[in-house]
Amino acid sequence: EVQLQQSGAELVRPGTSVKLSCKVSGDTITAYYMHFVKQRPGQGLEWIGRIDPEDDSTKYAEKFKNKATLTADTSSNTAYLKLSSLTSEDTATYFCTGYYYSGPYYFDYWGQGVMVTVSS
Amino acid sequence: DIQMTQSPSFLSASVGDRVTINCKASQNINKYLDWYQQKLGEAPKLLIYNTNSLHTGIPSRFSGSGSGTDFTLTISSLQPEDVATYFCLQHNSGWTFGGGTKLELK
């Protein structure tokens, strides 16, 4: 069974950056497209972007193009989301999710989410 | 970018009620619309994919319908465990979530 395990909660200063991890177990990460989703407290879900760990190709939502960077390390079966120039607007829970490269193309696997708090 | 307008944003219903939640896309998304359920403090859970396909293990009281730009999630007989927030997601062109519907018991 595929499982996604995310890193722990983060308290970070405004203007800095943070790198969140999402480790895949039960299969090789290169078999999956990995996505990240943002959820501000009490708000809806926003798609941030996705990475194909097979070739490191990425795709981002327009509003996150200068905010988020997705990478993957196949040796550790882990995908990463780096958020830069943090502000209070980045305070949120971030989920990783994904699907098998050949489909079906729905988000069946989810990490538990990681809370990022941006505060001085 | 495709915008998804979900309604209502809040819904109060009684056990046994038939509940419907709607999503409207800003352009044609064919059949590529999924529905997720999210309970407090948890990750979203897939209910319906590609408009009307019931995901494995999801009770048959959940169903989906629609095409093109207008889609509906129906709960045929509301149960207490269905209290949650529901989101639609289009994946015809990129990925866009609807704003969510918070469902509570009356």
Side-chain angles (χ1 to χ4, degrees):
Chain A
E1 179 191 2
V2 174
Q3 293 187 329
L4 307 182
Q5 181 65 39
Q6 297 187 244
S7 45
E10 299 269 5
L11 173 60
V12 292
R13 303 293 190 205
T16 64
S17 62
V18 66
K19 191 172 185 179
L20 312 177
S21 66
C22 174
K23 184 174 177 60
V24 176
S25 62
D27 206 345
T28 175
I29 196 173
T30 53
Y32 295 85
Y33 287 102
M34 299 300 297
H35 295 242
F36 282 83
V37 173
K38 176 183 180 180
Q39 186 169 39
R40 297 190 67 190
Q43 303 299 312
L45 303 167
E46 293 182 270
W47 179 75
I48 296 172
R50 73 106 174 108
I51 183 167
D52 178 0
E54 177 68 29
D55 62 8
D56 288 330
S57 62
T58 54
K59 188 171 185 176
Y60 297 93
E62 191 65 35
K63 70 173 290 187
F64 290 103
K65 281 185 176 177
N66 295 319
K67 170 63 64 178
T69 304
L70 298 179
T71 57
D73 178 0
T74 56
S75 66
S76 63
N77 241 27
T78 303
Y80 297 94
L81 166 64
K82 181 180 178 181
L83 302 167
S84 60
S85 302
L86 292 166
T87 72
S88 59
E89 299 291 302
D90 299 313
T91 293
T93 297
Y94 294 85
F95 294 98
C96 62
T97 181
Y99 50 75
Y100 195 65
Y101 76 99
S102 62
Y105 302 111
Y106 49 66
F107 295 143
D108 196 14
Y109 307 110
W110 289 81
Q112 79 275 24
V114 56
M115 180 68 195
V116 174
T117 303
V118 182
S119 175
S120 55
Chain B
D1 289 2
I2 296 175
Q3 308 301 316
M4 300 299 298
T5 303
Q6 189 171 338
S7 62
S9 54
F10 178 82
L11 185 53
S12 181
S14 301
V15 172
D17 281 355
R18 182 181 183 87
V19 169
T20 61
I21 298 170
N22 301 295
C23 262
K24 187 174 184 65
S26 59
Q27 62 190 72
N28 180 21
I29 58 170
N30 298 296
K31 67 175 184 177
Y32 300 110
L33 189 286
D34 305 333
W35 291 97
Y36 292 82
Q37 175 194 68
Q38 187 181 32
K39 296 185 177 180
L40 201 62
E42 298 182 3
K45 174 183 174 183
L46 177 68
L47 300 175
I48 303 283
Y49 63 95
N50 291 346
T51 297
N52 56 15
S53 295
L54 192 67
H55 187 47
T56 305
I58 302 302
S60 59
R61 63 180 180 274
F62 291 93
S63 65
S65 63
S67 65
T69 60
D70 293 285
F71 301 84
T72 299
L73 172 70
T74 300
I75 308 173
S76 60
S77 178
L78 185 67
Q79 300 302 302
E81 60 266 32
D82 300 336
V83 169
T85 300
Y86 294 82
F87 296 94
C88 62
L89 170 68
Q90 74 81 20
H91 54 98
N92 181 73
S93 175
W95 292 264
T96 314
F97 287 96
T101 296
K102 187 174 183 179
L103 176 57
E104 295 190 348
L105 284 179
K106 192 179 291 183

